[in-house]
Amino acid sequence: MALPLPVSEIGNTAPDFSLPATDGKTYSLADIEGKNGTVVVFICNHCPYVKGVVDRMVADAKALAKEGIGFVAISSNDVDAFPEDSFPEMKEFAARYGFPFPYLFDESQAVARAYGAVCTPDFFGLNADGIVEYRGRLDEGKKDPPPPNAKRELLEAMRLVGKTGRGPLDQTPSVGCSLKWKD
């Protein structure tokens, strides 16, 4: 189901976290932060919207890393209801797509709630001070690739954040599957 997001209130301090990753380590926000900013994205393994953007997301994460911008993906879905999003499946998903960034498991869903995440994928772009400056989509592609010459919205927004500390005035909310909350 497509779920459009309201663009969150820009200017909030991003919540910290300490979560286990598919690489066997535990990461906090400070471990992920880049000198010029950070992207925190909520994803899951089974969502067709995530599968539609994952290759472009990995490419943009690699490009942003070269520009001093950290990147992390977090899965917060209810794994009892959606076992394909379990931690072992997350490890396979990260390996299959060659994630160059940590993929964290938010089993309690506390981090997703703290960020106000509502769908997968749900992108939060932080400046170097940990302030949310972007809440939008990767690009205009959803389950399918975007049209040729489409703007790389997250990439361009985070380049602006990295240079100025501020995000773009125009931000288009992400579209995706709703987060699968526990009862």
Side-chain angles (χ1 to χ4, degrees):
M1 163 178 138
L3 183 69
L5 293 177
V7 175
S8 72
E9 191 173 326
I10 300 301
N12 293 332
T13 300
D16 198 3
F17 49 78
S18 180
L19 296 171
T22 56
D23 65 5
K25 299 176 185 174
T26 298
Y27 292 88
S28 69
L29 182 56
D31 297 323
I32 307 300
E33 290 173 333
K35 68 177 181 169
N36 295 320
T38 308
V39 173
V40 177
V41 59
F42 291 85
I43 67 171
C44 70
N45 305 332
H46 85 274
C47 174
Y49 292 90
V50 171
K51 290 178 180 177
V53 303
V54 69
D55 290 325
R56 296 188 315 279
M57 182 178 74
V58 166
D60 286 356
K62 288 177 181 177
L64 289 169
K66 292 176 184 174
E67 298 179 34
I69 296 174
F71 202 101
V72 65
I74 301 174
S75 180
S76 301
N77 272 0
D78 178 358
V79 298
D80 291 333
F82 293 87
E84 59 268 42
D85 292 332
S86 71
F87 194 64
E89 295 289 331
M90 288 173 57
K91 290 179 180 181
E92 290 180 24
F93 192 81
R96 181 179 325 124
Y97 291 102
F99 282 10
F101 48 80
Y103 188 19
L104 311 182
F105 185 39
D106 178 23
E107 184 175 15
S108 73
Q109 301 183 317
V111 176
R113 289 187 193 286
Y115 273 79
V118 296
C119 77
T120 57
D122 196 349
F123 294 92
F124 294 80
L126 319 178
N127 68 17
D129 296 322
I131 305 299
V132 178
E133 289 293 336
Y134 183 74
R135 172 100 184 264
R137 62 188 184 181
L138 182 76
D139 56 35
E140 66 184 277
K142 294 177 184 155
K143 292 187 249 180
D144 299 310
N149 302 316
K151 282 180 60 178
R152 294 171 72 183
E153 293 170 53
L154 175 71
L155 183 73
E156 292 174 22
M158 290 310 297
R159 285 179 169 159
L160 179 64
V161 168
K163 288 179 183 160
T164 69
R166 303 291 306 210
L169 295 177
D170 288 330
Q171 300 181 17
T172 303
S174 192
V175 174
C177 297
S178 64
L179 266 162
K180 309 308 185 221
W181 300 105
K182 296 177 180 183
D183 291 330

